[in-house]
Amino acid sequence: MQARFTRDHDPALWCGTIAIFFLALVWWRLAVPHEIYFDEVHYVNAARKQLDHIRVNPEHPMFAKTVLSLAIEWLGDRPLNWRIPSALGGALGLFAFTRIVWFASGNARATVLAGVLLATDFFWFIHSRIAMLDMTMAALTMLAGWQLAAAIRLPRQGRWRLALTGVLMGLALGSKWSVAPALLLPGLAFLALKLRDNGWRFLWARSGGPVPGISLIEAGLWLGLVPLAVYWTTFWPAFHWAARPVNPWDPIAWHKHMLMLQDSVKKPHPYRSVWYQWAGNWRAIWYLYKEVEGAQRGIVLIGNPFTMLAGLVALVWAVIEALRRRRLDLLAFVTLYLVTLLFWATSGKPVQFLYHYLLPSTFLMAILALALDEAGRQPNRWRLLLPIGIGLSVVMFAVFYPIISALPLCCGRPSFEFWMWLPSWR
């Protein structure tokens, strides 16, 4: 499909409106519960100690914790302020995600659908309301993807957009390593397309490739060296720990230590799960289920029961369609989904959790949006899949909203039973 990138057709206003409404919903009761819950216990405490230059939580990169510590320092140490970085990141990342879909596909309706699907997929909403590392990482990833996709579509702006992409990639990696496999793909795509278009001249040729006018050597600077430099710079607070600071001139030794710490967690955990359970949406994590502020409340991490499974059907369609019609937009999102998911299938990390599905599930929503848009273009009953699909996504979000947002539950402790559609969600 030929994209039409004009002000008349670009759905940026619609995308911004979705992001604003999403932020308003996230912000409502953002301070509830008024206490640390789930993995906030690790990261809020790490941010507090980081302000005092105390070494803590060294197994993770620094940037997301630095953002959290700045929120505490500037705004105050209370629950609302702990969660503001995730809330703002969720809204900004949602908007950036729609920009990726727009620049990748040029399809205005699919872009708007993608925004609604991501806003209601549970994963994005829940992680926009908790002080963890994941949303800062995911938001920066979407911002990097936006700039990269725009550089490809608008090659006259390619240089500064690629430079900005590199900076954002480094910050995303400096927030959490989960994004690492996705960050390898832009450079590999540049290499493959330059080699295809220029043969043995691929290293220095400016013609061809994803961004005409940018040689592979220059792309290596923006998409390779800049991210690595920015990533290592995010460890600046660790260079100044009061005791046992990180040696800024020995990144290899420090990363060996980080890997050792991550691999040392081998004790079985009741919420441990694996990649195929995430994709099938049959494993849950309870972030909260207790009496808080005079009411029984819960937050369970699962995917939207409709969109997670419909997305897998759309994935099969997308693979076939990408190969049959050479649709690069579908190929890009399928590749991102598979790479970010199968990374965990092949990872040596002994204990994995459902929240590692945050990035794959995000790319799955782009695939589902493109599939629903395609169904809506059919001249027969298939077109009904579009309104039914988007309607079911919103309805499921509304049905599960009490148990993903810590609303008071009406019937005391047994009230969670209504939402436990699978025994494995308990």
Side-chain angles (χ1 to χ4, degrees):
M1 179 180 299
Q2 182 63 39
R4 294 176 294 179
F5 296 100
T6 68
R7 186 170 297 177
D8 293 333
H9 297 95
D10 187 341
L13 182 59
W14 282 103
C15 298
T17 301
I18 292 170
I20 290 171
F21 274 98
F22 177 80
L23 178 60
L25 186 59
V26 165
W27 205 276
W28 183 47
R29 301 180 310 103
L30 183 59
V32 177
H34 287 91
E35 61 182 51
I36 286 177
Y37 73 102
F38 194 59
D39 275 2
E40 287 185 338
V41 68
H42 302 299
Y43 304 124
V44 172
N45 287 329
R48 289 167 173 165
K49 291 182 178 180
Q50 186 168 313
L51 291 172
D52 296 324
H53 308 290
I54 297 174
R55 176 174 175 156
V56 67
N57 192 237
E59 65 270 25
H60 287 296
M62 302 291 297
F63 186 70
K65 289 179 288 187
T66 299
V67 172
L68 180 54
S69 67
L70 291 175
I72 292 173
E73 183 178 29
W74 294 345
L75 304 175
D77 189 356
R78 54 183 181 271
L80 174 64
N81 299 335
W82 305 337
R83 297 165 192 156
I84 283 176
S86 291
L88 296 179
L92 186 58
L94 173 61
F95 180 75
F97 168 73
T98 62
R99 304 311 291 158
I100 296 173
V101 177
W102 166 246
F103 282 113
S105 69
N107 186 326
R109 183 169 66 179
T111 297
V112 174
L113 292 175
V116 175
L117 290 172
L118 184 62
T120 57
D121 83 333
F122 297 12
F123 276 88
W124 202 264
F125 176 79
I126 290 170
H127 288 104
S128 296
R129 291 176 50 84
I130 187 170
M132 291 171 60
L133 311 181
D134 300 74
M135 187 46 65
T136 300
M137 175 272 295
L140 288 164
T141 302
M142 296 304 116
L143 287 166
W146 169 15
Q147 296 308 313
L148 177 64
I152 293 170
R153 288 295 188 180
L154 307 171
R156 290 185 179 180
Q157 303 174 9
R159 181 164 286 108
W160 71 263
R161 286 189 182 273
L162 285 180
L164 183 54
T165 299
V167 172
L168 292 165
M169 288 168 64
L171 295 177
L173 187 62
S175 298
K176 196 169 185 180
W177 284 350
S178 300
V179 70
L183 300 186
L184 295 174
L185 296 178
L188 292 175
F190 235 101
L191 171 62
L193 294 176
K194 280 291 187 181
L195 187 59
R196 182 200 66 182
D197 294 341
N198 296 285
W200 62 270
R201 298 176 57 252
F202 70 98
L203 278 175
W204 59 85
R206 294 185 176 275
S207 60
V211 185
I214 303 294
S215 69
L216 183 62
I217 294 175
E218 183 179 354
L221 168 65
W222 302 130
L223 302 177
L225 294 180
V226 167
L228 288 176
V230 171
Y231 165 73
W232 189 233
T233 302
T234 65
F235 284 83
W236 184 266
F239 302 156
H240 298 87
W241 281 335
R244 296 181 295 159
V246 174
N247 182 355
W249 306 109
D250 195 2
I252 294 176
W254 179 246
H255 281 79
K256 286 181 179 178
H257 180 66
M258 293 175 70
L259 286 169
M260 182 272 294
L261 291 174
Q262 294 218 359
D263 291 342
S264 67
V265 182
K266 297 180 180 180
K267 183 180 179 180
H269 193 284
Y271 284 142
R272 177 182 178 180
S273 56
V274 293
W275 64 275
Y276 52 83
Q277 293 175 316
W278 312 339
N281 202 30
W282 73 70
R283 193 74 173 94
I285 296 180
W286 282 92
Y287 280 11
L288 176 77
Y289 191 71
K290 62 185 291 188
E291 187 169 324
V292 179
E293 299 160 34
Q296 189 70 31
R297 301 173 190 270
I299 299 174
V300 61
L301 179 66
I302 53 174
N304 184 306
F306 170 71
T307 58
M308 291 298 119
L309 298 182
L312 297 181
V313 177
L315 177 67
V316 175
W317 166 83
V319 171
I320 297 172
E321 196 74 356
L323 296 175
R324 185 170 68 91
R325 295 175 55 187
R326 297 185 178 181
R327 285 190 53 176
L328 295 181
D329 56 343
L330 291 175
L331 180 61
F333 289 121
V334 167
T335 302
L336 285 165
Y337 174 79
L338 293 177
V339 166
T340 52
L341 177 61
L342 296 181
F343 166 75
W344 294 105
T346 58
S347 171
K349 189 175 176 65
V351 181
Q352 301 175 15
F353 298 99
L354 178 59
Y355 51 72
H356 293 140
Y357 196 54
L358 175 61
L359 282 183
S361 66
T362 299
F363 298 125
L364 192 66
M365 293 305 98
I367 295 169
L368 180 57
L370 291 165
L372 290 175
D373 174 78
E374 187 68 22
R377 297 176 186 277
Q378 302 307 308
N380 47 39
R381 296 177 185 175
W382 287 104
R383 72 173 65 181
L384 295 177
L385 288 178
L386 193 160
I388 291 173
I390 203 70
L392 281 174
S393 180
V394 174
V395 166
M396 288 295 173
F397 182 84
V399 169
F400 279 80
Y401 180 76
I403 203 69
I404 64 174
S405 67
L407 275 179
L409 304 179
C410 64
C411 306
R413 291 190 60 82
S415 59
F416 76 97
E417 296 278 359
F418 173 78
W419 293 278
M420 297 299 98
W421 296 1
L422 297 178
S424 54
W425 289 358
R426 291 176 173 274

